[in-house]
Amino acid sequence: MSTALNLKPSSLPSTPVQCGTQSLLAATAIREDDRVVVIGPGAFDHLPGLARSGCKRAVALRSASFGRREMEAADVIWFTGVETIGADLHAAIEHLETSRIVVMELARDGAKAGLASFLRQLRAKGLADQTVSKAAGRTLMVASRPAWLRCVI
């Protein structure tokens, strides 16, 4: 069952500026038919940019704990505004089998503490092509499944 939403501007104060949608799009090379899940603070702010870029299937979630089914079906997952890499993120990754790309935008450099173990977990899931860079003053981690491995799975 699918539900159409009539989105209106929020009356809530905006979240602190995260990586722009363009930075995330550039890092992930999203295709028109990709299923994209954006998780975290400001996730809904990325939906218009995804639509403008031609992405036809995108979902925004406030927390990974509410989106296990969406994440299992996703081709691309963006974690935005990550404050700490904790058990909730590790649990979310544990169920990924088919995702092509996972991106994590760290809200502050202090969040890098758990990045090494998170990258190892992604590597074990087949997301072996990994980069860590800066975009809009924030740390951006991108892990993708190599093309040869996508053909195998």
Side-chain angles (χ1 to χ4, degrees):
M1 182 168 106
S2 180
T3 303
L5 298 176
N6 182 11
L7 299 177
K8 296 179 180 163
S10 172
S11 60
L12 299 172
S14 61
T15 58
V17 176
Q18 292 114 9
C19 284
T21 305
Q22 292 305 318
S23 297
L24 293 167
L25 285 167
T28 55
I30 292 175
R31 300 182 299 233
E32 186 177 286
D33 60 336
D34 279 341
R35 292 166 299 205
V36 180
V37 176
V38 186
I39 302 167
F44 291 97
D45 297 337
H46 292 291
L47 292 181
L50 282 164
R52 280 192 299 275
S53 75
C55 179
K56 294 181 180 176
R57 298 185 287 178
V59 175
L61 303 168
R62 190 83 171 128
S63 167
S65 61
F66 298 117
R68 182 172 168 188
R69 185 174 43 188
E70 287 85 357
M71 288 177 57
E72 288 174 349
D75 299 302
V76 178
I77 300 173
W78 291 353
F79 290 102
T80 64
V82 174
E83 292 285 336
T84 58
I85 301 172
D88 56 338
L89 285 177
H90 286 283
I93 295 303
E94 193 57 40
H95 300 287
L96 297 184
E97 297 300 331
T98 61
S99 297
R100 185 172 52 87
I101 300 171
V102 173
V103 177
M104 183 186 310
E105 174 221 357
L106 300 176
R108 53 190 174 75
D109 282 340
K112 283 185 183 180
L115 191 56
S117 66
F118 192 74
L119 288 170
R120 278 192 301 276
Q121 184 181 11
L122 289 171
R123 196 172 300 114
K125 288 290 190 179
L127 296 153
D129 290 343
Q130 301 175 342
T131 60
V132 178
S133 61
K134 287 278 191 179
R138 300 225 178 165
T139 300
L140 192 64
M141 181 281 308
V142 179
S144 61
R145 194 174 308 278
W148 65 267
L149 187 55
R150 280 183 244 148
C151 296
V152 173
I153 294 178

